[in-house]
Each structure stands twice: as structure tokens, then as C-alpha cells.
Amino acid sequence: MSKKSHNQQSTANQLTRWLIFLGVSAVLALILLVAAPRIMHRSLFSVTDGASTGTLAVGVTDVPDTLDIRTVNNASLDRVLIGNVYETLLGRNSDNGITAGLASSWKTSDDGLTLTFTLRSGLRFANGHTLDAASVVWSLQQAVSNKWPGADTKLAALASVTNPNATTVVITLKQPDATLPRTLSGRLGIVYDSAANIDYTNQAMGSGPYRITNFTPSQRIAFAAVSGSTAKTHTVTVRNYSSNSNLLKAARSGDVDLAIPSDPASADSLADDQNLRVSAGTSENKVTLLYNNDADSIFSDVQARTALRMMLDKTALLKDRSDVAQPLGGPIGPLEPGYEDLTGLIAHNADRGRQLMSYFSSSYIDTINLVTSETYEPLAQNIAHQLQEQGISVEVSALSDAGVQDCLSKRNFQLLLTTINGVDGTADFADPNGPSRYTNADAQAQYTQAVHATTQEAYENGLKAYARTVSSTAASDWLYARKTAVIASTQLAGYSAQMADERLPLANIVKQ
């Protein structure tokens, strides 16, 4: 080949390579042009797989006026903080059973005097500080030494709390206490950061899936998911509404995604809204007709108490009430250990009730003072009506919550229609200084024996024996376990109405 031909061939080959290069570049540029906005959007505005997204608005009628859950015993604090901002050593499931919490497992010695807890690995507080067994020991010591609400009685059995290593906590007891695991699933089981330098009145520092970003007392609490959290929704705002009617309006208008009315019956008015879903659950709260068992009260006599129980027709009383989860016949509710149906123990028998009451002179009975809160006035009036039909004169006093507490402290009542809560309310009837002042040596001994049981089975059987004694002697009249209700946008999933008046787990809620 001549030199000229060779040069011409080389030039042609270079031109071909350049044309191929330009063609490929053009294709790549086109691909990049199409994909770039998506890539930029993903990197700037999206999150990695598994991270939380979205916002959630929750409406309640009781945003607390402080965040100091250590020193203020308030159900609204428990509801918004436990499980969301703070984690407890043990947890509870939707049936109120004890589950793993910060401790992945625990065991009790055969004699019931030693409880050993194994913590989950890699635990941290929202500020990045390590949460280990020393944090648990410090928190329990703080509760006892600072006499946080309930610690003097619920942690009274503690002899020592130690941390043999970073993931093990050992609690030794002076005597067995079958109630301790439940205690450690509540506010006294919260684990705090000993190095957190915060004002607990308006700040919080826990190990839960959320941290608080803004707090306006009695108005709103704003949460954001902690980095690495399993929370499905990134930001949550809990807002206060002055009344159930205002809260329901906010739910209907879409101002809140999830509403939890204090009166579960009010939720029924939104059942026909196609954009909302009304769900019901059961509360630990038990609506109870509390008898004054003081020595100068007619109800210090078991015959008078039994007569009143027989006179009341519970089926008729509860028929039209939409806040009833389940009728009760004893001090233990369906979400508590040791529950059994005792509704037939003292059956409705008006004739027998009148016969028993006839042993008391009319001057001794006089007019019975039935005190209640404004919430339960209609029910109180129905109770009064039933008793009046049996010849018992009853006067109803419907008071503010503060007024009810004043009557209770001054013992200025004979009947008190109120709510008692969970295991604490159950235990009240084993305390001669409890709200009813009921005194029964057998019941006290049975409750003590139950608490000192070394197995769960013995504990529950002991509670059943105690409840039967308390109910059969008509210490009071337990009417029903209260219903709970939540109103949710149909776009929401992952929420629960069970115990919604005291537990509000936010991490699993997602807006679809």
C-alpha cells in the first residue's frame, strides 16, 4: 500500500472511532439527563430503606402541663412518653401482659428473691450515650432515694440492685414480690441517662424511638424519630383539644389523623364518616360504685352492702351505655392477672335485697349520699332511680373532679361512683386505709400471700381467691371495665385502641 493510501485509511479509522465515541457519549448524556432528576431527588429528599418518613397529627384532650414523668404521677404523661420517648426495663403487650423491654429476657429464682435481667445489646439514649446495666441500677436508685411517686410501696421489697456486667442487672428482694415485673413495665421501670443535663419539666432524654422537639404545656408535644429508629413515621405532633366535641370536629375535618376522645362513647357519632375508622378496645379503668366502709357508715355492715348489690340491676344499668367494654362482678378487670368472671357471685335479686335491708331502721339508713363526677352523672341518676324503686332514698351530687377528690378525702360520701385503675385499684381493697376503707382480715391475708408467691401461677391463683373474698363480702360494686376508642383516618395503619387511655405506641403507625 502506498504511503498516501495508508494515511487515508488511518484518517478514516480515527474518524470512525470518534463517531462511535460521540454516539456513545450522546446516549450516556441522554440517559443521565433523564435519570439525574430522580437521582438528585432521591439523594436530597428521600431516605434510605427502613428509615421513617411522613408526618402524623394526633388529637387528645389531656396534653400534660409538664414532661417530668419522674415526679408527677399523671396518666397523660405515661401515655405520650412511655414506649415513645422512654423505654422501660420490661414491656407490655396489647393484652397488658408482661413482655421483654430493654431487657430481652429475665428469670426469677426458685425462692422468688432474685430477678436477673439480660439487656438488649447496643442500647443508646437519643443523645448517643450508652444505655447499659449501670443506667438501670442508677435509675432504680434514683427512684428509691428521691421517693418518686409509688416507689415507697412498689419498690419496697428491693434489697439491692447490682450490675455484674454491662448487660446484666440483678435485683435481690427482702421477700418475694410477684408484682415487681409489672412495676418495671411502668414509670418506675423507665431507664434514664445519668449524664443527661436537662430540665425534665420541659425536656426529655430517653432511649425510645422518638425524641421531643417542641413542648408547649397543656397544648402540644412534637416528636421526631431518633436516628436509626424503627419508627415508621418521622414526625408526630400531639395536640390538645379543650373538649371531645372539638376533638371530633378536628377528626372530621382532617386536622388530626388520629383522635383519642376521653369519652369513648362520643366516637360513635363519627362511625358513618367514610374517611374515618372508629375502633374500640378495653381499658384497665373499672367503673365502680365505691361503698364507704367507715365505722359510722351503714355500709360498714356486710348485710347492707350485699342488699345494695342485690337491688341493682346491672344489665338494665349498662344496656344503653356505649362506654362499656365488659360487665364486672369483682375488683379484678379482664386485663389484669387473676381475672375471672364473678358477675354471678351476688346475683340481682331485688326481693332478697329489700328483705336484707329491712333489718335496718329507716332512721339508720336515712338518705344515702351518692357522689360522682359530672362524667358519670347520668349513670348515677339511673342507680339512684333503681334504689329509690326499692324504697332507698338517694341524693346524687355531681361534682368536678376536684370536688370528688375533696369528698373522698373528707369521707363525705356513702356511695362514690368513680373509676379505679388496674392492679393499683385492685390492691386498694387489701388496704384498710384505701378509698373504700374496706377491712377484711381474710382478704388482706390472701392478697399478701398472692404478692409473695414465687410463681406466676401461684400469684394468679392467690389473686383469684382474694377477689372472691372481696366480691362475696360486697366490699363495693364493680360495674364494668371501661371501653377505649380511637378515631383514625382510613389512611392510617399500625395503631391500636387497646388501653388507648394510657398507652399510645406511635412507632408502628404509618400513613399509607
Side-chain angles (χ1 to χ4, degrees):
M1 180 183 296
S2 67
K3 184 176 182 180
K4 181 177 179 180
S5 298
H6 176 79
N7 288 339
Q8 286 176 338
Q9 182 66 41
S10 176
T11 300
N13 290 340
Q14 289 179 6
L15 181 59
T16 300
R17 286 195 296 270
W18 271 108
L19 288 173
I20 293 172
F21 171 76
L22 290 174
V24 170
S25 298
V27 171
L28 289 174
L30 181 61
I31 293 172
L32 191 60
L33 183 65
V34 172
R38 297 180 184 177
I39 295 171
M40 291 297 292
H41 181 35
R42 182 173 298 157
S43 62
L44 293 178
F45 301 107
S46 294
V47 292
T48 58
D49 290 342
S52 58
T53 60
T55 62
L56 176 71
V58 179
V60 298
T61 59
D62 58 353
V63 167
D65 58 6
T66 178
L67 293 180
D68 196 352
I69 195 171
R70 307 167 309 162
T71 62
V72 177
N73 189 3
N74 184 301
S76 65
L77 268 176
D78 291 5
R79 178 165 64 177
V80 295
L81 296 185
I82 294 179
N84 296 320
V85 175
Y86 292 114
E87 291 181 293
T88 48
L89 189 58
L90 297 178
R92 295 185 204 173
N93 60 25
S94 60
D95 292 324
N96 208 26
I98 307 302
T99 65
L102 289 169
S104 58
S105 63
W106 72 100
K107 62 181 179 180
T108 304
S109 62
D110 291 342
D111 62 6
L113 295 177
T114 305
L115 283 78
T116 304
F117 301 85
T118 301
L119 301 186
R120 305 195 321 256
S121 61
L123 294 171
R124 292 192 177 275
F125 294 100
N127 56 10
H129 293 175
T130 297
L131 188 162
D132 57 17
S135 308
V136 178
V137 173
W138 181 82
S139 299
L140 286 170
Q141 290 172 340
Q142 291 296 299
V144 172
S145 62
N146 291 311
K147 298 180 179 179
W148 291 345
D152 57 338
T153 55
K154 294 184 177 182
L155 298 178
L158 267 63
S160 67
V161 185
T162 59
N163 53 308
N165 57 55
T167 59
T168 306
V169 176
V170 178
I171 296 178
T172 56
L173 305 176
K174 304 169 191 173
Q175 56 191 359
D177 182 3
T179 69
L180 185 59
R182 184 164 296 275
T183 294
L184 297 177
S185 70
R187 57 172 51 232
L188 290 173
I190 292 174
V191 178
Y192 299 92
D193 180 8
S194 62
N197 183 21
I198 63 172
D199 178 2
Y200 281 93
T201 302
N202 51 45
Q203 294 175 293
M205 181 55 63
S207 59
Y210 287 98
R211 59 185 175 85
I212 292 177
T213 56
N214 185 272
F215 172 58
T216 305
S218 302
Q219 294 185 37
R220 68 190 295 270
I221 305 177
F223 301 85
V226 175
S227 177
S229 164
T230 58
K232 292 182 171 60
T233 300
H234 185 261
T235 58
V236 180
T237 302
V238 178
R239 299 192 186 104
N240 191 72
Y241 289 83
S242 58
S243 65
N244 281 311
S245 59
N246 287 337
L247 176 59
L248 266 56
K249 288 178 184 176
R252 193 180 285 277
S253 66
D255 289 342
V256 296
D257 304 301
L258 185 73
I260 307 168
S262 57
D263 177 10
S266 64
D268 292 342
S269 65
L270 298 184
D272 62 343
D273 193 311
Q274 298 300 310
N275 297 314
L276 299 172
R277 185 181 294 113
V278 176
S279 303
T282 303
S283 170
E284 281 194 280
N285 282 316
K286 296 161 283 193
V287 177
T288 303
L289 186 60
L290 208 64
Y291 297 167
N292 184 335
N293 284 250
D294 290 343
D296 60 351
S297 168
I298 186 175
F299 298 116
S300 61
D301 190 302
V302 63
Q303 184 165 303
R305 299 195 303 263
T306 303
L308 210 69
R309 280 270 295 270
M310 288 182 168
M311 287 180 181
L312 285 180
D313 182 354
K314 284 187 187 177
T315 302
L317 278 177
L318 308 185
K319 184 173 110 175
D320 296 323
R321 292 196 62 81
S322 53
D323 65 338
V324 177
Q326 185 172 325
L328 293 177
I332 299 179
L335 294 178
E336 298 173 55
Y339 168 76
E340 61 177 339
D341 184 359
L342 299 179
T343 52
L345 206 56
I346 298 181
H348 171 57
N349 187 332
D351 292 339
R352 178 57 178 159
R354 286 195 305 271
Q355 183 182 10
L356 289 175
M357 195 62 83
S358 69
Y359 287 95
F360 303 93
S361 65
S362 58
S363 60
Y364 182 52
I365 299 175
D366 200 15
T367 297
I368 292 176
N369 180 22
L370 169 53
V371 174
T372 191
S373 66
E374 294 162 352
T375 300
Y376 294 108
E377 182 178 7
L379 179 58
Q381 293 291 357
N382 286 338
I383 290 171
H385 178 70
Q386 282 198 10
L387 294 177
Q388 285 161 355
E389 287 187 328
Q390 305 305 322
I392 306 296
S393 177
V394 180
E395 180 180 279
V396 175
S397 299
L399 309 174
S400 65
D401 291 341
V404 170
Q405 287 303 312
D406 185 60
C407 279
L408 183 60
S409 62
K410 293 178 179 177
R411 311 302 297 168
N412 187 21
F413 71 96
Q414 288 170 298
L415 298 175
L416 176 62
L417 181 60
T418 186
T419 57
I420 58 176
N421 179 261
V423 294
D424 291 341
T426 294
D428 284 342
F429 295 95
D431 180 3
N433 296 314
S436 70
R437 300 288 170 84
Y438 168 76
T439 303
N440 183 292
D442 289 339
Q444 291 167 22
Q446 288 166 337
Y447 184 77
T448 300
Q449 184 177 3
V451 169
H452 292 165
T454 58
T455 67
Q456 182 68 19
E457 182 181 11
Y459 173 49
E460 294 190 10
N461 287 337
L463 287 177
K464 287 179 182 179
Y466 161 73
R468 281 187 163 270
T469 297
V470 171
S471 181
S472 64
T473 55
S476 284
D477 197 355
W478 303 269
L479 303 181
Y480 59 95
R482 188 170 163 83
K483 184 171 77 174
T484 55
V486 299
I487 304 159
S489 162
T490 53
Q491 295 180 325
L492 287 192
Y495 58 89
S496 173
Q498 193 79 328
M499 298 184 292
D501 53 349
E502 58 180 304
R503 296 274 167 156
L504 180 59
L506 297 170
N508 288 328
I509 301 178
V510 62
K511 193 183 297 184
Q512 299 173 322

